[in-house]
Amino acid sequence: MEERIDLKKFLAIIRKRFLLIFLTAAVMLSLTVLMTVYIMKPTYEAKEFILVGKLQKSDGEYIDSQNINRLLASSIDFIKSPIVLNTVAEKYSLADEDKLEEKIIVQNSKDSQIINIIVRDSDAEFAKDLAGFTAQTSVQKMNEIFKVNDFKVMRNGETHASTISNPILNIAIGLFVGLFTGIALAMIREYFDDTVKSAEEIEELTGLPVIGQVNLKAKMTRSKSARKQKQLRKTEIPARGDASV
């Protein structure tokens, strides 16, 4: 029963503060649209793939699957090591290697011999170039250091960039945030509002029944109409006197 009463109160507050909730949601939605269209830049994602095949050492011996798994794990760490990042940073004149490392994501699925290099940036061309050059540099240095010759870039020179930002999703999130913010503001305003606006609130606060109530608005309306009628009668009497003369 109490939960039902609380739900009624909540809906009553929503109905009472509907204008505040609507204006808050409209403002947040407008700000989100402006930021999405004019401020926030789209994010592009470029992928490059390195294939670790049935590796063969320089002396002609093949490496077994267990060693391949170890080599895969080592390769994932090696791609984001300073050995590779320093070369990439020098190529593109990037001073901050930490930001460069944030742009590069290295993935490898379970039981897969393919290493995915993912680069995300607001510039599509830069993302493609960075992914391709990172893959080529990694393969070259791994072949030199690991003494193997079967690391291969799968899409050499054919890297593509696709956008991963979703403006519609951003606008929807802005709308929901605006609604929740408006509801929160309505609840806060209702919590700090100590005015009593109905007989039901008086009964709820005091626990006593209301015997009667005076409608001040109706009384004020009647008094205003009475004063207007008196003024009209006063203005009509001189007019009639002038007509008789």
Side-chain angles (χ1 to χ4, degrees):
M1 185 65 181
E2 292 181 357
E3 292 181 358
R4 183 179 177 185
I5 294 174
D6 292 339
L7 180 59
K8 283 186 176 181
K9 288 182 179 180
F10 176 77
L11 295 177
I13 294 172
I14 296 299
R15 184 170 61 253
K16 179 181 176 182
R17 307 292 183 183
F18 175 77
L19 182 60
L20 174 62
I21 296 173
F22 175 79
L23 291 177
T24 304
V27 170
M28 290 296 295
L29 180 62
S30 301
L31 291 176
T32 304
V33 172
L34 290 175
M35 292 181 63
T36 301
V37 175
Y38 296 104
I39 299 177
M40 296 177 61
K41 296 181 179 180
T43 302
Y44 296 94
E45 181 179 272
K47 294 183 180 181
E48 190 59 89
F49 304 94
I50 297 177
L51 175 63
V52 182
K54 191 175 181 181
L55 302 180
Q56 185 179 11
K57 292 184 179 180
S58 58
D59 56 2
E61 296 180 0
Y62 287 99
I63 302 175
D64 57 19
S65 60
Q66 184 177 1
N67 289 332
I68 289 179
N69 292 333
R70 293 177 182 175
L71 192 59
L72 278 168
S74 301
S75 301
I76 294 173
D77 295 332
F78 183 83
I79 292 172
K80 299 192 74 172
S81 67
I83 299 175
V84 176
L85 294 182
N86 288 338
T87 304
V88 175
E90 291 177 1
K91 165 72 174 180
Y92 294 99
S93 302
L94 300 175
D96 195 346
E97 293 184 8
D98 292 334
K99 291 185 178 180
L100 176 61
E101 187 175 358
E102 293 176 358
K103 295 177 182 293
I104 300 174
I105 302 172
V106 182
Q107 296 178 345
N108 174 249
S109 301
K110 186 178 180 181
D111 299 328
S112 174
Q113 293 181 237
I114 297 176
I115 299 174
N116 303 328
I117 298 179
I118 303 172
V119 175
R120 292 174 181 172
D121 193 79
S122 58
D123 188 343
E125 293 299 324
F126 177 73
K128 291 192 296 183
D129 293 342
L130 184 60
F133 186 74
T134 302
Q136 293 174 5
T137 303
S138 301
V139 167
Q140 179 184 354
K141 291 189 175 297
M142 283 189 295
N143 286 333
E144 294 175 356
I145 295 175
F146 296 160
K147 303 301 180 181
V148 294
N149 55 9
D150 213 3
F151 284 105
K152 296 181 180 179
V153 180
M154 294 182 61
R155 295 195 309 178
N156 190 9
E158 299 179 1
T159 307
H160 301 283
S162 58
T163 179
I164 60 174
S165 57
N166 192 342
I168 298 177
L169 179 61
N170 294 338
I171 294 173
I173 293 174
L175 177 60
F176 281 109
V177 171
L179 288 174
F180 284 120
T181 304
I183 293 173
L185 291 176
M187 293 298 175
I188 294 173
R189 184 172 179 180
E190 188 69 21
Y191 177 79
F192 288 103
D193 188 3
D194 296 329
T195 59
V196 179
K197 300 180 177 62
S198 64
E200 290 78 7
E201 293 183 10
I202 297 176
E203 291 179 349
E204 183 179 353
L205 292 173
T206 61
L208 300 174
V210 177
I211 299 175
Q213 58 182 357
V214 178
N215 193 343
L216 297 176
K217 291 183 179 180
K219 188 175 180 180
M220 293 175 63
T221 303
R222 288 197 297 268
S223 62
K224 287 181 180 180
S225 62
R227 285 198 299 268
K228 288 183 180 179
Q229 290 178 0
K230 288 181 181 179
Q231 292 177 357
L232 288 174
R233 284 197 293 268
K234 287 180 181 180
T235 55
E236 288 176 357
I237 291 173
R240 292 176 182 176
D242 294 339
S244 61
V245 175

